Amino acid sequence: MTEEEKRLKRLGKFLSLVLRHKPEAISISLDENGWADVDELLTKVSASGRKLDQETLEKIVETNNKKRYAFDESKTKIRASQGHSIDVDLEFEPIEPPTILFHGTAEKNVASILGKGLEKRNRQHVHLSKDVETAVQVGSRHGKPVVLEVLAGEMTKAGHQFFLSANGVWLTDAVPAEFLKKKKD
């Protein structure tokens, strides 16, 4: 990884912190839908000792492999696509999910999850993947990955709602244990 790629990665992680969890870290405010003013963001990030301009911000948004951030149409506002621990309304509309979705976790968490289900904890939603590969990547961040199948079709029939974020992550409030099973290899 080049020095520039490392710098962009660090800035991206900092943006994730500010736009998803702690806008107060640089004294910006997000509106009720999670949008931040781009000019204010650029000024306050730069004032915090990190060099950030419009071109660099656009590069981070365009090249982020998880598509974590989105601009509004005018590129005067930016927000994180999902994963907030602060209260924002991302204006998601319920949508019918595929019959099966996936959740990647570390092996050490499987027994607890299969017993209690998936909880959103400090986030607004439980995050789910449409494919096994993405679930494996997510699970790998926390140890030896295990993929759980989420019986999303059955959950929908039971009255649970699903949402699809701008970057393709499936979201729901919780996944009760009866709708989970360990994926066979």
Side-chain angles (χ1 to χ4, degrees):
M1 186 178 289
T2 68
E3 285 304 314
E4 178 64 6
E5 289 169 332
K6 288 178 186 174
R7 185 178 82 81
L8 291 175
K9 186 174 183 176
R10 283 192 305 272
L11 277 170
K13 286 186 177 198
F14 185 70
L15 287 174
S16 182
L17 172 76
V18 169
L19 295 175
R20 293 167 73 187
H21 309 295
K22 292 185 177 183
E24 69 275 10
I26 58 169
S27 300
I28 65 166
S29 58
L30 306 181
D31 72 15
E32 67 274 5
N33 303 122
W35 293 105
D37 179 81
V38 168
D39 288 337
E40 180 185 21
L41 179 73
L42 295 174
T43 299
K44 300 266 178 102
V45 168
S46 294
S48 76
R50 297 163 181 87
K51 185 177 185 284
L52 183 63
D53 56 27
Q54 181 76 28
E55 182 182 339
T56 303
L57 182 61
E58 288 182 22
K59 189 171 189 175
I60 290 168
V61 171
E62 290 168 16
T63 60
N64 183 270
N65 64 342
K66 295 180 182 175
K67 302 294 178 205
R68 275 188 199 211
Y69 320 102
F71 285 113
D72 69 348
E73 287 183 17
S74 65
K75 290 192 177 180
T76 59
K77 293 183 179 183
I78 186 171
R79 73 176 175 187
S81 298
Q82 97 287 322
H84 297 79
S85 61
I86 55 176
D87 190 26
V88 296
D89 177 6
L90 296 175
E91 306 170 290
F92 292 133
E93 294 293 327
I95 184 171
E96 182 144 349
T99 304
I100 302 288
L101 289 169
F102 303 95
H103 181 77
T105 190
E107 189 174 52
K108 65 186 177 199
N109 301 328
V110 173
S112 174
I113 291 171
L114 290 176
K116 294 193 281 188
L118 287 168
E119 303 167 334
K120 60 185 174 182
R121 302 215 176 172
N122 66 340
R123 293 202 176 174
Q124 289 191 320
H125 297 98
V126 171
H127 294 195
L128 305 170
S129 307
K130 67 178 178 184
D131 58 70
V132 173
E133 294 79 19
T134 303
V136 168
Q137 286 178 343
V138 170
S140 296
R141 294 187 310 204
H142 307 289
K144 183 178 179 196
V146 173
V147 175
L148 301 174
E149 290 185 356
V150 176
L151 306 176
E154 290 182 28
M155 283 181 64
T156 301
K157 288 177 191 166
H160 296 269
Q161 290 187 325
F162 288 84
F163 310 94
L164 185 60
S165 71
N167 61 345
V169 175
W170 283 92
L171 308 167
T172 192
D173 286 334
V175 180
E178 64 264 26
F179 297 107
L180 288 167
K181 63 182 186 180
K182 190 172 173 184
K183 178 153 177 44
K184 294 178 174 51
D185 293 328

